[in-house]
Amino acid sequence: MTDIERAAKTLRTAYDSGKPVPPLAGDLLPVGDTDAAYEVQRTQVRWWVKQGRRRVGAKIGLTSRAVQESFGVFQPDFGVLFADMAVADGAEVDIELLSQPRVEAEVAFVLGADLPQEQVTTVDVIRATDHLLPAIEIVDSRIADWQISIVDTIADNASSGLYVLGNSPRRLADVDLRLCGMVLESGGEPVSVGAGAACLGNPLHAVAWLAQTMARAGDPLRAGDVVLSGALGPMVPVTPGAAYEARIAGLGSVRTAFSNPGVRA
């Protein structure tokens, strides 16, 4: 078994057991080797697809400077979205299905056309976008105590967990994505604030980066894909029993809640 296969198996074990594992970088994977990390991710994706999971899009991570600084990572990454990761707007999430969840507010793009080019402009993204939705990404890590490097988070499918989409689509032309303000609230109090400019200057830039990167890897974005374009503000650790609502100017709101295993129904 190669180190790539060992790393993938280690992460799958963490998924199945719910118990985080030590960092992979410096042990099974070379420090800073993003190519090896993406190979682990692809190994995971192939395994999941064989198990019957359905790919529905992609997510961009580490787009917010605040999030980058919190982990000492200064480049974006990406992971794969599956249909079973989607949570209905307003639904309660069983927190025991997650290891160490955090939430962040994002803009979701739903594509109406393929983006197969290896050189993608923001105009290409605008033309390919069918509609936008407000989103809450529930990020999670199989790496203990979130002690992640760029290698660890890439291998771990960009620290993916679940995601929640709003139900009222908006046209791209009706939203100022650079200036759209975001407030993420819990219990009526703001816990994270930001704007579109926090996401690589504009969420359009993030999606263009993703489209180029995936096309060069031979796995381009396709019509119908959902793209989570990256955090508009700092991630927030989830409190059991808490509810979170994200409001994004021009896009509306989206909400989710988490169970509290310490409280009996």
Side-chain angles (χ1 to χ4, degrees), residues 57-198:
K59 60 154 285 185
I60 311 167
L62 302 171
T63 55
S64 164
R65 176 63 66 177
V67 174
Q68 289 180 348
E69 290 178 349
S70 68
F71 293 114
V73 175
F74 299 99
Q75 59 180 300
D77 68 348
F78 70 88
V80 173
L81 298 180
F82 292 93
D84 58 9
M85 294 165 61
V87 176
D89 186 10
E92 183 178 87
V93 174
D94 182 354
I95 199 169
E96 294 187 300
L97 297 176
L98 301 161
S99 297
Q100 38 192 357
R102 301 181 178 189
V103 291
E104 58 189 27
E106 307 192 13
V107 176
F109 288 65
V110 181
L111 300 183
D114 297 349
L115 282 169
Q117 305 92 342
E118 292 189 13
Q119 295 183 342
V120 178
T121 69
T122 54
V123 171
D124 294 325
V125 175
I126 291 169
R127 288 175 175 165
T129 300
D130 185 78
H131 61 273
L132 306 174
L133 292 166
I136 293 175
E137 184 183 358
I138 303 168
V139 290
D140 201 8
S141 179
R142 272 50 61 178
I143 305 301
D145 301 318
W146 278 92
Q147 295 299 307
I148 61 172
S149 67
I150 187 68
V151 167
D152 296 298
T153 187
I154 289 172
D156 191 21
N157 197 28
S159 301
S160 295
L162 306 169
Y163 66 93
V164 191
L165 300 180
N167 295 320
S168 298
R170 298 288 194 271
R171 295 191 310 160
L172 180 57
D174 296 334
V175 183
D176 186 335
L177 284 178
R178 187 178 72 85
L179 296 179
C180 63
M182 177 279 294
V183 177
L184 180 64
E185 294 184 347
S186 182
E189 297 294 329
V191 293
S192 179
V193 297

Side-chain angles (χ1 to χ4, degrees), residues 5-68:
E5 292 167 334
R6 289 189 184 93
K9 185 175 181 180
T10 296
L11 289 171
R12 287 200 300 272
T13 299
Y15 270 100
D16 294 341
S17 68
K19 297 179 180 179
V21 297
L24 304 175
D27 182 13
L28 292 174
L29 300 176
V31 174
D33 191 341
T34 57
D35 289 340
Y38 277 117
E39 186 55 39
V40 173
Q41 185 187 122
R42 286 189 289 269
T43 300
Q44 295 281 68
V45 169
R46 288 192 294 268
W47 171 272
W48 286 324
V49 169
K50 287 181 180 179
Q51 303 309 304
R53 299 182 77 183
R54 181 171 69 91
R55 290 181 62 166
V56 295
K59 60 154 285 185
I60 311 167
L62 302 171
T63 55
S64 164
R65 176 63 66 177
V67 174
Q68 289 180 348

